[in-house]
Amino acid sequence: MPAARIIPCLDVAGGRVVKGVRFAGHRDVGGIEEHTAFYVEQGADELVFYDISASPEGRSVDLSWIERVARLIDIPFSVAGGIRTRDQAAAVLAAGADKVSINSPALERPELIEELARDFGSQCVVVGIDSLREPDGYIVKQYTGSAAASRAAGRLTLEWAQEAAARGAGEIVLNCMAEDGVRHGYDVGHTRTVAESVPVPVIASGGAGAPEHFRDAFAAGASGALAATVFHDRLIPIPELKEYLASCGIAVRR
């Protein structure tokens, strides 16, 4: 069984790392390079960078900081932010990213998933899904990097995850919006349902606040657990987290 992956998430805006709660009220938490170097030293398995204002502003991700990160890092990292075309994805990969992550652009034009998988391989294509719990079930939101632009995408989360995988996504990042930044735990029920319904790895995102929350996400079938606040604010050291998970019988990379 593949080792469980611990994945710090870095939201980028204006060339800085920021963090909000439930996708709003973002605060500056430091520089991109300093966080990158810290997480490599800590033993993170991968990093994810989201240029959160790119899609709402109708632009693609800034390549300059991707190149700087690539020079610092020796672990895989993925990049998201307004990647709407094959050429934009190629530029991000050429700048040093290992994977491209698409969210709102995939909802705008689902064929983009197939195009990227065909040209770069499914292993390079991640589809992010911002999922919000409503009374009648889980729905997909888009343009969530901006509170003013955020809106329902007209999709049910489970159906969209299945379609994304069928179109060639190699991985799904499930962002549970109601749990984001509140540190009450991942939505393990939703994570389990999605993980059991698609043939590709699912990364749990939103809600980590204690080591037990990571354990629960992996028990629910997540391949990786993504978190921001608990890592940015130095609340959970990654080496200690991995020791805890290993003590629970979960395979981790030391």
Side-chain angles (χ1 to χ4, degrees), residues 20-22 178-185 206-209 229:
V21 174
R22 291 174 175 157
E179 315 306 327
D180 179 70
V182 298
R183 309 210 308 263
H184 294 161
T229 302

Side-chain angles (χ1 to χ4, degrees), residues 4-230:
R5 290 176 285 160
I6 303 301
I7 309 173
C9 170
L10 296 90
D11 290 344
V12 175
R16 301 281 292 176
V17 178
V18 300
K19 185 66 189 85
V21 174
R22 291 174 175 157
F23 289 58
H26 291 92
R27 58 188 170 92
D28 187 307
V29 295
I32 297 171
E33 287 95 336
E34 68 181 84
H35 277 289
T36 297
F38 174 76
Y39 290 130
V40 171
E41 180 183 346
Q42 280 272 296
D45 297 303
E46 299 182 19
L47 296 179
V48 173
F49 296 86
Y50 292 132
D51 186 333
I52 62 171
S53 57
S55 281
E57 293 176 1
R59 60 173 177 81
S60 188
V61 63
D62 179 0
L63 298 177
S64 63
W65 61 259
I66 300 174
E67 293 168 347
R68 297 197 303 272
V69 165
R71 289 193 290 268
L72 287 173
I73 203 168
D74 59 1
I75 59 174
F77 72 101
S78 63
V79 172
I83 301 169
R84 289 182 166 82
T85 69
R86 183 257 179 220
D87 289 346
Q88 288 172 341
V92 169
L93 294 171
D98 298 278
K99 306 174 188 178
V100 291
S101 182
I102 52 176
N103 188 327
S104 295
L107 289 162
E108 294 167 4
R109 193 170 66 85
E111 295 79 11
L112 177 62
I113 303 171
E114 297 169 273
E115 293 167 8
L116 299 185
R118 178 196 65 216
D119 288 357
F120 308 116
S122 291
Q123 78 282 352
C124 289
V125 183
V126 181
V127 170
I129 301 178
D130 295 333
S131 183
L132 183 64
R133 184 173 56 245
E134 297 280 5
D136 296 330
Y138 290 86
I139 65 166
V140 180
K141 300 275 283 187
Q142 64 187 134
Y143 309 126
T144 55
S146 164
S150 180
R151 69 188 191 206
R155 297 269 194 166
L156 298 177
T157 299
L158 186 58
E159 292 178 1
W160 175 233
Q162 292 170 330
E163 180 179 342
R167 287 182 179 272
E171 191 167 87
I172 301 290
V173 174
L174 182 65
N175 303 310
C176 296
M177 295 181 66
E179 315 306 327
D180 179 70
V182 298
R183 309 210 308 263
H184 294 161
Y186 295 100
D187 187 334
V188 293
H190 190 33
T191 299
R192 180 180 292 108
T193 297
V194 174
E196 290 176 348
S197 301
V198 297
V200 300
V202 171
I203 308 302
S205 175
E212 293 80 7
H213 298 154
F214 291 84
R215 176 202 62 196
D216 295 344
F218 293 125
S223 172
L226 186 151
T229 302
V230 293

